[in-house]
């Protein structure tokens, strides 16, 4: 895993995004969610490899209309193999959640939008 202390830190109302290196082929970083918070429904144009580092997180993945919930405990891994799959990161628990991501593909435009909308 990339060293979180070397990441760019972007604070959100729901927690923090830690941006590691990103190029046209791969991006890495972390998502920290505060207790009892979630990100908005979103998708990415890449394959997403998510590894739970600390706390727990529920991932609701919409490969079909109803969606399926996956519980991620520390060291659990979830791969969203298809680009543009809608999903939500949810932390309904009493402790913070920290999830590491490795994206296979280019998300530089998304990172630019995150910076523009938050900073």
């Amino acid at each position: 895993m990339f060293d979180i202390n070397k990441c760019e830190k972007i604070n959100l109302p729901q927690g923090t995004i830690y941006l590691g290196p990103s190029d046209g082929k791969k991006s890495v970083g972390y998502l920290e969610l505060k207790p009892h918070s979630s990100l908005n429904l979103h998708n990415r144009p890449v394959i997403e490899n998510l590894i739970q580092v600390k706390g727990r997180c529920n991932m609701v993945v919409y490969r079909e209309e109803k969606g399926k919930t996956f519980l991620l405990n520390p060291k659990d891994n979830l791969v969203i193999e298809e680009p543009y799959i809608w999903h939500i990161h949810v932390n309904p628990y009493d402790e913070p959640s920290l999830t590491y991501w490795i994206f296979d593909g280019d998300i530089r435009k998304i990172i630019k939008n995150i910076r523009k909308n938050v900073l």
Side-chain angles (χ1 to χ4, degrees):
M1 283 185 215
F2 190 76
D3 183 351
I4 195 169
N5 296 310
K6 294 181 180 178
C7 291
E8 175 186 356
K9 185 177 177 181
I10 298 177
N11 292 316
L12 306 171
Q14 306 93 325
T16 305
I17 293 176
Y18 296 88
L19 298 173
S22 183
D23 59 30
K25 295 182 181 179
K26 182 178 177 182
S27 296
V28 298
Y30 296 84
L31 170 63
E32 183 175 43
L33 285 176
K34 296 176 183 177
H36 308 285
S37 66
S38 65
L39 288 186
N40 293 331
L41 180 68
H42 64 278
N43 65 35
R44 303 283 181 242
V46 296
I47 296 169
E48 297 192 37
N49 185 1
L50 306 170
I51 302 166
Q52 191 66 20
V53 178
K54 178 181 163 189
R56 296 178 289 165
C57 178
N58 292 349
M59 290 294 304
V60 184
V61 179
Y62 292 90
R63 288 189 178 99
E64 51 194 56
E65 187 177 325
K66 185 175 181 184
K68 181 175 180 183
T69 301
F70 297 88
L71 170 61
L72 297 180
N73 290 300
K75 299 183 182 178
D76 285 349
N77 178 238
L78 175 66
V79 178
I80 302 175
E81 296 180 2
E82 307 87 7
Y84 297 105
I85 296 295
W86 292 97
H87 60 280
I88 305 172
H89 302 253
V90 182
N91 180 6
Y93 306 105
D94 292 331
E95 69 268 351
S97 166
L98 184 65
T99 307
Y100 181 69
W101 81 69
I102 305 166
F103 293 159
D104 290 329
D106 191 355
I107 66 160
R108 290 176 293 175
K109 285 183 182 178
I110 293 167
I111 290 171
K112 184 178 178 181
N113 285 337
I114 290 170
R115 286 183 181 123
K116 184 174 93 176
N117 292 325
V118 175
L119 299 178

